[in-house]
Structures are given as C-alpha cells and as structure tokens.
C-alpha cells in the first residue's frame, strides 16, 4: 500500500498524479506517497506503531506487575533486574512505564475522539447553513478559545471530579472548538465549489451533500489536526494526572508517576527520568507524524 | 478605520458575555450540591445553609447569573471559601508575580526564537534549518512539568547552581528574585520559543520570496541589513498578531511551572483553589485569565489596524 520514496516509483508515476491541477485531485494515495518521502515523519509513524504494540501487549512485555508492591526492593537504582529501577513501593519502573502507554494512548485517542465526534458535525452544519446558528456557535467558540486550554481543562476536570474518564471528557471538551472552527472553515470554501452545485442540481438533499460530498473532501485536514491534537491530549492528560486530577493511583500513568517522583528527586531520580522520557518520545513521534501529514497535504510548508 | 474599530469592539461584547456564561456555569453546573462539595462531608447543616444562602443557591439560575454578573461588573468576585479573603484582593496580589514570570519567559522565548527562526528561513533546507526545526519540534513535544523536574534535578539537586524553587519580591532582593526566576522562565520560555520560531520561519520564508526583498537585494544591500531591516520587520507581524495565543500558552504553562517551582502566582493559585474546591476563587482566576487574553487580542487588532494601511484604507475605498 504505502510505497517508499524510490526514485523508480516516482519516475513512473503519471505526470497528472504528480502535479494535480486542483486541490481535489489530492487523493489519499497521493497524500501517502508524499508522506512516505518524509523520513522524519516515517520515523514518527514507526515509533507510534511500536508504542501501540507496547500498549496492546503490555502484560506480555512488562517483566513485573505494575501495581503489586515489593517491599524488599524499595527505591533500587537501575540494574539488570530492574532496567529502570524501582519506585518507593518497590514496583518496577519499566513495567509501570510500559503499562503507562495504555493510559496515555487511551487518553489521547478517546479525548480527541470526543472532540472530533462533537466538533466535526457542529462545524459541518454551522459552515453549511450559516445564519444564526453559525453566529451563535462562532461566538461560543471564540469565548472558549479565550481560555488558556490547560486552565479550562483543569477546571472542567475538577468540576467533574478526579479520574481518567473525566479527564478525557474535560480534554475532549476543551479541544472541541478547534475542530468546529477547522471543519467550518473548510466547509465554507467547499460549499461554493461546482461539485456541490452539481450534486444539488441532481436532486441531492443537504444531508447527502454534507456527508457524501463535502465530508470526504475536508477529512484530510481534520485527520492532520486530529493527529497533532492527540499529541497535545496525551500531554494534557499527563499534566492533569501530574496535578492529581487525572489518573488515580495505583493505575500506572506517566503523569502521576512524575508527580510522586518529585519527592524522591535527590534519592531516586530514575523515578522521574523514565516516565517523562516516555511522554516526550510519544508526543514527539505523534508530532512528527502530524507534521508529516500536514506537509504532505500542503507542500508549500516545506 | 473608526468603523473597523467599532465593529471590532462590538464583536468583543458577545465574546465577553459567553466567557462570563462559561465561567458561571462551570461552577454552577457541578453535579450535586456545591455547598456540600466545598465544605466536605463533615460540615454541619447550619454551616451548609449559610453557604447556600451566601452563594444564592436557593434562587433560580437566571437570577443567580444576574446577581453574579452585576457583582463582577462592580469588581466584586466574591470571597474565598477557605480563608474568607476577597478573591479580587488575592488576585491583585498574585498577578504581579505571574506578570514578572510571563515577561522573563517571553524574553527567553523571543531571544531563542527570533535568531533561530530568521536563520532557519535564511538558510532554508540547510543543516542549520533541519537542526533548528527538529529542536523546535522537540521543544514543543517536551512536557513542561518533566523539563522543570529535570532542571531542578540537574541544576539545583546535583550542581547546586540555583535554588530549587520559591519566590522573593524583586524590591526585597533583586538578585535572588532573578536567580529564582531562571528555571521557571526557561521551562515556560522554551515551549513558546518553539512555537514562535516555527511561525517566524514560515513567515520569513514568505517574505524572503517577495518582490521588495528582491529589489532590496538588487540595490546591493548587505545580507545583514536585508534580513534585519527589511525581512525580519515584516516577518515579525504574524508573530505579534498571535500575542493572545502566546499569553494563553504562558498562563496555561504558569499553572504547571508555578506549581513545580513554588512560585506564588496566579497559576499556583488556580491549582490550589481547584484542589481545595475553593470555587469562588476558581471562578475569579479563570475569569481573569480569559479577560487577559480577550484584552490582548483586542489590543493587538487595534494596534494592527493603526499600523497596517490596508485596514486603514479599506474603509475609504468601500
């Protein structure tokens, strides 16, 4: 499916596909080919896939239980038995980092999922029909975007109560306006295109035009935004858990691991180093992936 | 011009209205009894009744919003549930601390971002460009709470170069104040630097490709003069227009940074009041943050209208 950046492939590609006349000929395969030429983005993709493998097979990969305390091995520095050392309850840091991938990926995917599922339809309808609803929605999103996003997420999470599920809802709500604005802006330009008029002339209803004709044409920028938002959502969940509002102990979460590590910074720095490194690598990989997708979509950015 | 300003000001009113509505409903829509949540399970029936009365919980919603907003408009944000102090007083006391941190972080951010962004655009697709853009992406990806903890570990715990945290007013001991600001400013500044650098790079690339830069080059101007006097000045415009976004990043980041480094500013106040369920205080802090951003966005647009002849002249031709 996805081909590497081999010169032969590129030379054989028909000219029309290489240099599309309009935006609309940017097919998904064209996007993938451009993406595959970006080496950093590919690295990001591989790392993300590796992290997914870690999350899915955590119980097989992790050498120890991430939750069961081991009072014989408290605060042990990294060695061959415990590659990343142990924490204040004797738990293996590596195992907790591996299980932490589950929490982080879940938080990233679910909260962005909430934001897209709520934001995309609102943006589509708002941009397609314009009018009062659009005005109202734009003022509300203006207002929501006036809050620093972490402050708003923190407040919503606090109101809903501590816990991973509620943190995900809070982050999802805070990310929603960005998706409303993005999809609305895209619809505004698409609805004036000839193909929409053609569909209407053929008797297609509004619902059909929006879902069958406009949506496929605006989905690429939404996907790019979603991949970048996933990175931000993972950081946000870690931040909330770090402040004590997200994932609750003993569930392994990189953010809450860092929170508890603060007290042992001088005696057991490994407790802080590895969970943070895990967040950094995951978020960086997702950002590389998202940037790669964005550049593939809009070549002027290179 | 006046029409543009009038329209811009009018547009701010509904935004302010919805901001106030969000802040009000955030706390009002708490599932369960807010008085019980704030005072805890062991609170007496009488104490709960008093708090409910004080918060007006026995009145209908619209009336409560009306009373709340009329107080807010008069500068009365209510009292803290914890220490009974006026929310406004506490905020006014904390704002200068966060303002100092914001300014020092902005200095750090721009000092890194402007040269790096300009250079990356000038030497586009070179090793310098790739290095700068990769470092910027890393800067965006690094979680600020981890960066903060690692700096404390390296510079305070190990090297003993800097104090791990705390705060002293600048007029009491300026030297110590600045020393205490170093690590928080680096943490808060780097994420912003990465954002600004990326933006500046792409706007600089656009400017460098424009006709007037080619003309200036044809006149025989040196690269130095060309970049600083002609290109950078115009490339900075998009960076300046997202001041509101930058302030949002700073205020959001301050929540984390002030918590890690024990800086008694607005961000720390936000976390403390959220964790102790001091909802009037939470409302005050959140409202302040949003108003600050709305104000900066408005100011940027107004200044921009004065500076950009295209907006100034648009009205005349229309």
């Amino acid at each position: 499916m996805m081909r590497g950046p081999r010169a032969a492939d590129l030379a054989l590609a028909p000219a029309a596909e290489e240099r599309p006349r309009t935006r609309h000929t940017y097919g998904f395969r064209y996007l993938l080919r451009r993406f595959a030429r970006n080496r950093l983005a590919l690295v990001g993709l591989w790392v993300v896939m590796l992290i997914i493998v870690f999350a899915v097979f955590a119980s097989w990969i992790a050498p120890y239980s991430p939750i069961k305390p081991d009072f014989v091995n408290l605060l042990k520095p990294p060695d061959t038995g415990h590659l990343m050392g142990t924490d204040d309850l004797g738990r293996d840091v590596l195992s907790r980092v591996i299980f932490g991938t589950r929490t982080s990926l879940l938080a990233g995917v679910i909260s962005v999922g909430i934001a897209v599922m709520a934001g995309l339809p609102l943006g589509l309808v708002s941009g397609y029909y314009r009018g009062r609803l659009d005005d109202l929605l734009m003022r509300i999103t203006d207002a929501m975007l006036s809050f620093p996003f972490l402050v708003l997420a923190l407040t919503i999470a606090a109101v809903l109560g501590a816990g991973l599920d509620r943190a995900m809802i809070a982050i999802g709500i805070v990310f929603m306006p960005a998706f409303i604005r993005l999809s609305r802006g895209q619809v505004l330009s698409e609805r004036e295109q000839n193909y929409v008029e053609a569909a209407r002339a053929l008797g297609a209803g509004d619902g059909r035009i929006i879902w069958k004709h406009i949506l496929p044409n605006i989905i690429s920028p939404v996907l790019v935004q979603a991949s970048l938002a996933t990175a931000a959502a993972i950081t946000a969940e870690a931040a909330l858990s770090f402040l004590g509002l997200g994932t609750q102990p003993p569930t392994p979460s990189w953010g809450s691991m860092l929170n508890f590590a603060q007290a042992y910074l001088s005696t057991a720095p490994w407790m802080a180093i590895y969970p943070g490194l895990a967040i950094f690598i995951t978020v960086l990989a997702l950002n590389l992936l998202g940037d790669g997708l964005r550049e593939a979509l809009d070549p002027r950015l290179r | 011009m006046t029409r543009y300003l009038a329209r811009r000001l009018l547009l701010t009113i509904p935004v302010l209205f919805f901001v106030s509505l969000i802040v009000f409903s955030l706390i009002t829509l708490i599932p369960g009894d807010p008085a019980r949540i704030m005072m805890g399970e062991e609170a007496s029936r009488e104490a709960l009744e008093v708090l409910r009365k004080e918060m007006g919980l026995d009145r209908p919603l619209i009336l409560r919003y009306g009373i709340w907003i009329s107080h807010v408009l008069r500068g009365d944000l209510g009292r803290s549930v914890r220490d009974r102090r006026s929310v406004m007083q506490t905020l006014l006391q904390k704002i200068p601390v966060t303002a100092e941190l914001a300014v020092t972080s902005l200095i750090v951010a721009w000092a890194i971002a402007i040269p790096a962004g300009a250079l990356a655009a000038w030497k586009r697709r070179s090793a310098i460009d790739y290095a700068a853009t990769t470092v910027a992406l890393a800067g965006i990806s690094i979680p600020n709470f981890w960066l903060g903890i690692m700096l404390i570990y390296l510079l305070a715990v190990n090297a003993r170069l800097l104090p791990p945290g705390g705060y002293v007013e600048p007029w009491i001991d300026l030297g110590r104040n600045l020393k205490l600001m170093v690590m928080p400013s680096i943490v808060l500044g780097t994420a912003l630097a990465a954002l600004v650098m990326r933006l500046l790079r792409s706007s600089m690339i656009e400017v460098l490709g424009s006709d007037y830069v080619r003309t200036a080059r044809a006149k025989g101007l040196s690269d130095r003069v060309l970049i600083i006097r002609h290109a950078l000045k115009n490339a900075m415009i998009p960076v300046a227009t997202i001041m509101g976004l930058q302030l949002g990043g700073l205020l959001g980041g301050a929540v984390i940074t002030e918590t890690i480094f024990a800086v008694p500013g607005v961000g720390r106040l936000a976390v403390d009041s959220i964790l102790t369920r001091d909802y009037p205080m939470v409302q005050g802090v959140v409202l302040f943050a949003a108003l600050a951003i709305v104000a900066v966005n408005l100011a940027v647009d107004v200044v921009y209208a004065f500076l950009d002849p295209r907006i100034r002249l648009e009205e005349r031709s229309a």
Side-chain angles (χ1 to χ4, degrees), chain B residues 118 122 204 208 217 220-233:
Chain B
W122 181 249
M204 188 91 172
L208 285 175
R217 194 174 288 161
L221 286 185
S222 72
D223 287 354
R224 229 183 116 86
V225 176
L226 183 73
I227 290 184
I228 294 173
R229 186 140 355 125
H230 292 267
L232 193 57
K233 224 165 105 185

Side-chain angles (χ1 to χ4, degrees), chain A residues 136 139 142-144 146-148 150 154-155 158-159 238-239 258 265 269 272-273 276-277 280 284 287-288 291 294 302, chain B residues 14-15 18-19 22-23 26 124 130 137-138 141-143 145-146 149 153 198 248 252 255-256 274 282 286 290 293-294:
Chain A
L136 180 71
R139 295 295 83 77
D142 274 342
M144 285 182 79
S146 301
F147 295 92
L150 189 60
L154 252 172
T155 314
V159 166
L258 271 172
L265 204 50
I273 294 172
L277 202 59
F280 180 39
L284 182 62
N287 277 332
L288 284 172
D291 267 10
R294 189 169 55 179
R302 248 346 261 167
Chain B
V15 172
F18 283 112
V19 162
I22 292 170
V23 173
L26 267 180
R124 192 181 175 192
Y130 286 119
L137 198 65
S141 307
I142 198 162
F145 39 94
W146 185 56
I149 294 173
Y153 174 63
R198 278 159 60 111
V255 168
I256 298 279
I274 282 171
V282 175
V286 175
I293 291 172
V294 170

Side-chain angles (χ1 to χ4, degrees), chain B:
Chain B
M1 180 76 183
T2 38
R3 246 172 59 195
Y4 169 81
L5 286 181
R7 226 183 49 152
R8 184 64 186 77
L9 274 170
L10 274 178
L11 267 176
T12 311
I13 296 170
V15 172
L16 287 177
F17 169 70
F18 283 112
V19 162
S20 74
L21 208 58
I22 292 170
V23 173
F24 174 75
S25 48
L26 267 180
I27 306 304
T28 313
L29 301 181
I30 298 174
D33 178 2
R36 163 84 55 197
I37 291 169
M38 276 190 256
M39 304 199 68
E41 289 302 321
E42 62 279 5
S44 70
R45 190 181 291 266
E46 292 77 34
L48 281 175
E49 224 24 75
V50 171
L51 185 63
R52 274 196 206 113
K53 263 253 155 57
E54 187 189 311
M55 294 180 69
L57 293 180
D58 45 353
R59 299 202 179 103
L61 263 183
I62 295 185
L63 195 63
R64 275 161 64 191
Y65 174 75
I67 294 170
W68 178 75
I69 197 73
S70 72
H71 280 122
V72 168
L73 289 173
R74 275 177 280 155
D76 175 11
L77 294 173
R79 288 185 173 280
S80 156
V81 178
R82 294 294 135 196
D83 56 13
R84 309 301 303 159
R85 288 185 53 197
S86 142
V87 170
M88 192 59 141
Q89 291 282 314
T90 311
L91 262 179
L92 288 177
Q93 192 192 333
K94 307 275 183 186
I95 288 171
V97 179
T98 301
E100 187 197 352
L101 181 59
V103 170
T104 50
S105 307
L106 208 59
I107 292 171
V108 170
W110 288 30
I112 300 172
I114 293 173
L119 199 66
W122 181 249
K123 304 271 177 199
R124 192 181 175 192
R125 297 205 179 102
S126 71
I128 297 175
D129 182 21
Y130 286 119
T133 42
T134 310
V135 170
L137 198 65
I140 289 174
S141 307
I142 198 162
N144 50 11
F145 39 94
W146 185 56
L147 182 61
I149 294 173
M150 286 297 104
L151 282 182
I152 293 179
Y153 174 63
L154 293 173
L155 299 179
V157 175
N158 268 358
R160 296 185 184 281
L161 283 173
L162 291 165
Y167 184 76
V168 176
E169 277 85 1
W171 51 87
I172 291 175
D173 184 347
L174 184 64
R176 184 155 174 84
N177 170 276
L178 291 177
K179 246 182 161 176
L180 283 164
M181 280 291 153
V182 172
M183 285 197 288
S185 308
I186 292 175
V187 171
L188 208 46
T190 39
L192 198 60
L195 180 85
V196 172
M197 183 259 154
R198 278 159 60 111
L199 185 67
L200 181 64
R201 175 183 174 271
S202 54
S203 82
M204 188 91 172
I205 284 173
E206 205 167 294
V207 168
L208 285 175
S210 65
D211 289 340
Y212 72 88
V213 168
R214 201 179 319 140
T215 311
R217 194 174 288 161
K219 279 199 317 192
L221 286 185
S222 72
D223 287 354
R224 229 183 116 86
V225 176
L226 183 73
I227 290 184
I228 294 173
R229 186 140 355 125
H230 292 267
L232 193 57
K233 224 165 105 185
N234 283 302
M236 280 298 286
I237 293 172
V239 177
T241 49
I242 59 150
M243 272 309 291
L245 194 70
Q246 296 181 50
L247 182 69
L250 282 173
L251 286 175
V255 168
I256 298 279
T257 325
E258 292 180 357
T259 304
I260 295 175
F261 293 103
V263 177
V266 180
R268 178 81 191 255
L269 181 66
V271 175
D272 286 348
S273 49
I274 282 171
L275 291 179
T276 55
R277 301 184 186 282
D278 189 347
Y279 290 125
M281 193 66 91
V282 175
Q283 271 182 328
V285 175
V286 175
L287 188 65
F288 159 73
L291 290 186
I293 291 172
V294 170
V296 167
N297 281 334
L298 182 65
V300 165
D301 282 1
V302 170
V303 171
Y304 194 62
F306 273 105
L307 293 181
D308 191 338
R310 275 169 298 190
I311 295 181
R312 231 173 20 222
L313 298 175
E314 200 176 359
E315 301 297 327
R316 235 171 278 166
S317 59

